[in-house]
Amino acid sequence: MCGIVAYLGSKDAYPILINGLYKLEYRGYDSAGVAILDKELSVYKTKGKVSKLDQFVEDKNTGGSIGIAHTRWATHGEPNTENAHPHYSMNKKIAIIHNGIIENYATLKEELKGRGYTFNSETDTEVLANLIEDVMHNESCSLQEAVLIALNQVVGAYALVVISEGEPDSLIAARKGSPMVIGIGGDDDFFIASDATPIIEYTKNVVYMNDEEIAILKKGEPLKIKTIANKDKTPYVQELEFNLNALEKGGFEHFMLKEIYEQPTSIRDSLRGRLRAKEGVVSLGGIVDYEQKIVHANKIIMIACGTSWHACLVGEYLFEDLARIPVEVEYASEFRYRNPIITENDVVIAVSQSGETADTLAAIELAKEKGATVLGVCNVVGSSISRATHAGSYTHAGPEIGVASTKAFTAQVTVLTMMALRMAQLKGTIPTSRFMQLLHEMEAIPDKVEAVLNDDGVAKQIAEKYQQATNFLYLGRGYNFPVALEGALKLKEISYIHAEGYPAAEMKHGPIALIDKDMPVVFIATNNVIYEKVVSNIQEVKARNGNVIAIVTQGDKVVRGLADYVIEIPATEDMFVPLLASIPLQKLAYYIAVMRGCNVDQPRNLAKSVTVE
Ligand code: G6P
C-alpha cells in the first residue's frame, strides 16, 4: 500500500510533506521518510510512524522547496530504516518513493548487480532507483526520459515520484495500478499524493493520473502528462468536492468514533436526491442507462474484499428477496484466479470504499474481458475502480480515515438497498403498496440510526465486562448473518481479540464446542420470522454457561429474560436491520479496543487501502 506525497513550488516543502504523511498514515505506518532537495539531495528516514520521522529530523536541515515523502506498509523487506523510502540510487543523486510492487525486480536487480550496482535495502523500489540511474548514465538523457525508458522495462504496479539533484526544478511522477492525484495550486505550486487529503488545504484543482501515465512537473511551467508510450496527453483538471472539516476529528477522540457518529449524515447523504418516498421514486443516476441490463441479467455477481464483502452479502439477500435476481457474492481475490463462469448476460457489481483495492480491480478487469457489464459502488470519487467500471453509484459517506470501516459499510448497504428496490420496482416483483411502505421506512432509517447512537450506556458496560476475553462469537441469521460477520471483523481488527461470525443455526455444527463460562456470544436477535429459532440458539448457549449479549428490537421481553446484556434498536423492516444493528457492534468493538489501549485508528498490520495482492 503505502502513502506518497511530493511538493514542488515556492513554499517550504517539509511542513507540506510531513503534514501530508500524517494524513496518509492510514495507508501504512511501518516506516516513514522524506527527501528534500536544497542544493544537495538529503534523505531522512526512520522505522515506525510519521511522528518518529518528525522527531528525527528536528536537528536536520529540512530547508528546500522541492521534496518527496513516503509512509510505508511493508511488502518487500521487513519494516526497518534501510527498507524505508525514499530510496537513493547508488550515486545518491536520485531518490524515489513508490507505492506498489515491481514484480520483475529480482531479474532487474541481478542485471544491475552485473553492471556493478550495489543495494542497501531488500526493496523492489531501490532496484528502480538504480535502473533509472543506469539509464541516465547509458543514454545521457534527462530524468524524464530515463523514467520513461525504465518503466518500459518494469512489470508491476506503481505510483512513484522521482527527484534528481541534477534537475533541481523538476519532479517526475508515474502511475500504473496504484492511486495518484496531482494538485495544482496558485504560484506554480504542485502537490502529489496517493489521495487528495494532503492536497485539499492548498488547492481544490486536481488531476487524477491514469494508468501508464507520466507527469512532468517543472517550476514555472504548466503540468505535462505523457503516456509511457511517450504520447502527450492533456491534463484533465477537476475540482475537489469535499472540504477540510471532513478530514478532522471534530472533537472526537478517534476518527473511528467520529465516523460511527457520522452515520445518520452519511446515510442521509447517500439517500439524498435518490429516494423520494412520497413520490414513490428511487433512482440512482449513475446506473440509469444500465437498469434494463440489471433487470434482465442472468445473474448478478458481487465482488469485494473485507467489510465491503459483508455489504455485498446484505446486497445478495436484498436483490434476491426484493427483485428475484440470482446473486453470487465473491471475494475478489478468489474470483480473479478461479476461472469463473461469466457471460455477457451477467452483471458484476464491485463494491469498494477506497476504489483502489488491487484484488477488486483485477476481478473487474477479468469480468470485463469475459464481456460482463461491470458496475461500481465506491466511496472515493475518481478512484481507480470508479473509473474502471462501466458505470456506478457513489456512496456519499465522505472521507473515511479510520482503518476499520464503519460509515462506508452502512453507506454501501444503503446504496445496494436502493438498487434492489429500484430493480424490484422495474420488475414488478413486489406490490406497489409494499414498495411504497419500504421507501417510507428507508427514509426513516437515518433518524433511527441517530436513536441507536444516542443510546450509549450498555455498549460501554459490556465492553468493561468483556474487555479481557480472548474469544468472541457473533451469531445471526438471514439479514443478521452478515451483521454478525461484520461485528466480528470490527472486533478483531481493532482490539486483536479473536472473533468469529457464524450463521446462528450453524453453531451446533462446530462453534458450540467452544462455549464455556468465558465465552461471550453476541446474538443479533431482532424480531423476524426466525426470531424463535434464534431464541433457541440463545438457550443452547446459556445451557452451556456462555455469556449472551443480544441486539434486540425495542420492547423485546423474551431475549431480555435470557441474555446477560441486551442492546435495543428501534423496530424496522427486517431487510433494514443491518443498517441499525451494525452500529452497536461498531461501538462495542471501539470501546473494547480503547479499554485495551489499542490504536483504534491505525490497528497493527492493517491498512485502509490494500493496493497490493
Ligand atoms: C482493507 C481495509 C478494510 C476494507 C478492505 C476493502 O482490508 O482495512 O476496512 O474493508 O480493505 O477495502 P475497499 O476499499 O475495497 O472497500
Side-chain angles (χ1 to χ4, degrees), residues 420-433:
L421 283 165
R422 174 67 179 146
M423 292 311 130
Q425 183 186 30
L426 288 171
K427 281 189 83 174
T429 40
I430 50 173
T432 308
S433 56

Side-chain angles (χ1 to χ4, degrees), residues 1 26 304-309 351-358 360 377 380 385 400 402-406 408 412 486 489-490 493 603 606-610:
M1 265 83 66
Y26 72 86
C305 304
T307 289
S308 302
W309 187 81
V351 179
S352 172
Q353 186 286 128
S354 62
E356 300 295 345
T357 304
T360 311
V377 175
V380 177
I385 293 177
E400 192 181 63
V403 166
S405 185
T406 52
Q412 287 166 344
E486 177 57 11
L489 179 63
K490 286 292 85 79
E493 278 180 316
L606 295 178
K608 181 109 193 112
S609 169
V610 182

Side-chain angles (χ1 to χ4, degrees), residues 12 63 72 76 174 200 213 290 307 333 354 366 419 472 526 597:
D12 245 3
R72 178 168 187 247
H76 286 79
I200 184 92
E213 283 181 356
Y290 289 84
T307 289
S333 53
S354 62
L366 177 69
M419 277 189 187
F472 262 77
T526 47

Side-chain angles (χ1 to χ4, degrees), residues 470-493:
T470 46
N471 291 292
F472 262 77
L473 195 56
Y474 287 70
L475 301 173
R477 291 187 77 167
Y479 283 101
N480 292 340
F481 165 51
V483 178
L485 291 177
E486 177 57 11
L489 179 63
K490 286 292 85 79
L491 186 72
K492 65 186 144 200
E493 278 180 316

Side-chain angles (χ1 to χ4, degrees), residues 135-188:
V135 174
M136 278 184 97
H137 177 257
N138 293 338
E139 309 284 329
S140 306
C141 60
S142 67
L143 182 65
Q144 169 202 328
E145 286 161 325
V147 171
L148 200 124
I149 294 168
L151 289 182
N152 276 288
Q153 298 176 36
V154 154
V155 180
Y158 47 78
L160 57 87
V161 189
V162 192
I163 187 168
S164 162
E165 209 174 279
E167 297 183 25
D169 286 341
S170 331
L171 288 175
I172 309 297
R175 164 194 165 138
K176 184 183 174 195
S178 299
M180 176 179 272
V181 53
I182 300 178
I184 305 171
D187 309 326
D188 295 327

